[in-house]
Amino acid sequence: MKFRNAARLLACLSCVTAASATIVGSYNIRYDNPGDEKAGNGWKQRAPVIASLIRFHDFDVLGTQEGFHHQMEDLCREMPEYGCSMHGRDDGKEKGEHIGIFFKRDKYELQEDGFFWLSEHPDQAGPGWDASLPRICGWAKLLRKADQKTFYVFSLHLDHRGPISRKEGIALVLRKIDEMAKDAPVYLMGDFNTDQNSESYKEIEDSPHFADTYNTATVRFALNGTPNKFDPDAKTENRIDHIFVREGVPVRRYGVLTDSYRIPKNPAPEESKSGNFPKEVTFQDFESRLPSDHFPVLAEVMD
C-alpha cells in the first residue's frame, strides 16, 4: 500500500513538473529562394517537413525568421493549433522576410504584439548602422491560461554582414526589453548571425539579466552548430541561433535538432536488401535533405 501511495505521489509530482515546463524554440526557416528549388530544396517540398517537425517536437512557443508572408501562411495552414504574430521587415506588415512568433492557442492568449526596426530609428523602415538589409525584432506579450501569468517573447534576425549593426542591434533590443517587459519573464531568441565567441554574443551572455539556455541546460543535445548550408554532412561548432532566458531560470533540456528527411535520387529508385534484416525488408535509393539551411533550437524551460 505504501509503495502504491508513493508511486501515485511521484506521478503527481511528475505531472506538476511537466505542467510548469515551456518548450521554446527558434527556427530560421529559410526564405523561398528560386535557386533552392533548382537545387532540390524548394519551399513547397520543405514546408510540410518543417510543419511536421515543429508539431512533433511539440513547441509551445517558437520564434521564426526569414519566411515570406506566403510561407508564414503555409505554416499557419499546416499548423492550425498555433496562433502567430508576424511582421515583414520591409514595411512592418506583409512585405519582405518575416519575423514570426508561433504559440499554442489552447495554452496561450496573445495580449499585445509589435515590432521595431534594428536601426538608429527603430520606428522607421530601413537598414541600420552598417547593415546590408533592413532588420527587425518582433515581440509578443502572451498570457498563459493555466495560471494567468504573462510573459514576453522577442524574436529577431540580425544582419549577416554588418558587425556594428549586430552589436548596436543587440544593445537596442536589451534596452527595449527593459522598457517594455521590465521584470516580467522574457524569452529572447532568433538568428543573431553571431556565434558564441563574438563580442556581440557576450554582451547578452555577460549581462546580469539573461543566460544562454545552451549553457544552463541540465541536459544538452548539440552535436552540431546551428547553420548547415543545406548539407547533411556539414559540421560546424558555430552557434548563431540562440535562445536566452532570464538569469536564474532553470532549463531542463537544450537541443540543436538535426532532423533530416529523404527524397528519391531518381524517378525510379533502385531497391535493395540487406542480410542483416528479414527478407521482406526493402530499401530504396534515396538521399538525405534538410528542411532549412539552419537547424532549429529547442529549450525546455522550467517556469
Side-chain angles (χ1 to χ4, degrees), residues 119-165:
S119 78
E120 302 93 324
H121 307 287
D123 58 345
Q124 297 178 22
W129 301 284
D130 61 345
S132 59
L133 297 164
R135 301 289 182 174
I136 64 172
C137 177
W139 61 270
K141 182 181 179 182
L142 296 175
L143 172 73
R144 185 162 59 190
K145 297 178 181 180
D147 56 13
Q148 297 296 295
K149 290 183 178 179
T150 58
F151 61 93
Y152 286 81
V153 182
F154 288 78
S155 177
L156 59 79
H157 190 183
L158 294 173
D159 198 67
H160 63 306
R161 290 181 179 167
I164 297 174
S165 70

Side-chain angles (χ1 to χ4, degrees), residues 54-74:
I54 292 169
R55 299 178 81 183
F56 177 79
H57 287 288
D58 205 26
F59 289 99
D60 292 308
V61 178
L62 176 73
T64 65
Q65 304 85 40
E66 275 202 21
F68 288 131
H69 190 72
H70 70 274
Q71 293 177 268
M72 306 301 287
E73 288 184 320
D74 288 343

Side-chain angles (χ1 to χ4, degrees), residues 129-251:
W129 301 284
D130 61 345
S132 59
L133 297 164
R135 301 289 182 174
I136 64 172
C137 177
W139 61 270
K141 182 181 179 182
L142 296 175
L143 172 73
R144 185 162 59 190
K145 297 178 181 180
D147 56 13
Q148 297 296 295
K149 290 183 178 179
T150 58
F151 61 93
Y152 286 81
V153 182
F154 288 78
S155 177
L156 59 79
H157 190 183
L158 294 173
D159 198 67
H160 63 306
R161 290 181 179 167
I164 297 174
S165 70
R166 290 195 291 269
K167 182 176 176 59
E168 294 295 336
I170 286 173
L172 172 63
V173 170
L174 292 178
R175 289 197 301 272
K176 288 286 190 180
I177 289 174
D178 283 343
E179 293 170 8
M180 296 167 58
K182 297 183 171 54
D183 295 326
V186 173
Y187 300 115
L188 169 59
M189 63 193 65
D191 177 357
F192 288 72
N193 268 315
T194 188
D195 77 358
Q196 66 273 21
N197 302 307
S198 70
E199 290 300 319
S200 298
Y201 167 87
K202 291 175 182 176
E203 186 171 344
I204 307 176
E205 179 59 16
D206 293 345
S207 79
H209 302 298
F210 286 100
D212 187 348
T213 53
Y214 174 94
N215 294 324
T216 60
T218 303
V219 177
R220 182 193 303 156
F221 182 77
L223 304 181
N224 207 334
T226 61
N228 62 56
K229 64 176 185 175
F230 278 126
D231 183 355
D233 297 322
K235 168 69 176 174
T236 181
E237 298 296 332
N238 304 99
R239 292 180 289 107
I240 63 174
D241 304 85
H242 308 287
I243 301 172
F244 294 92
V245 294
R246 291 291 198 189
E247 187 73 41
V249 173
V251 180

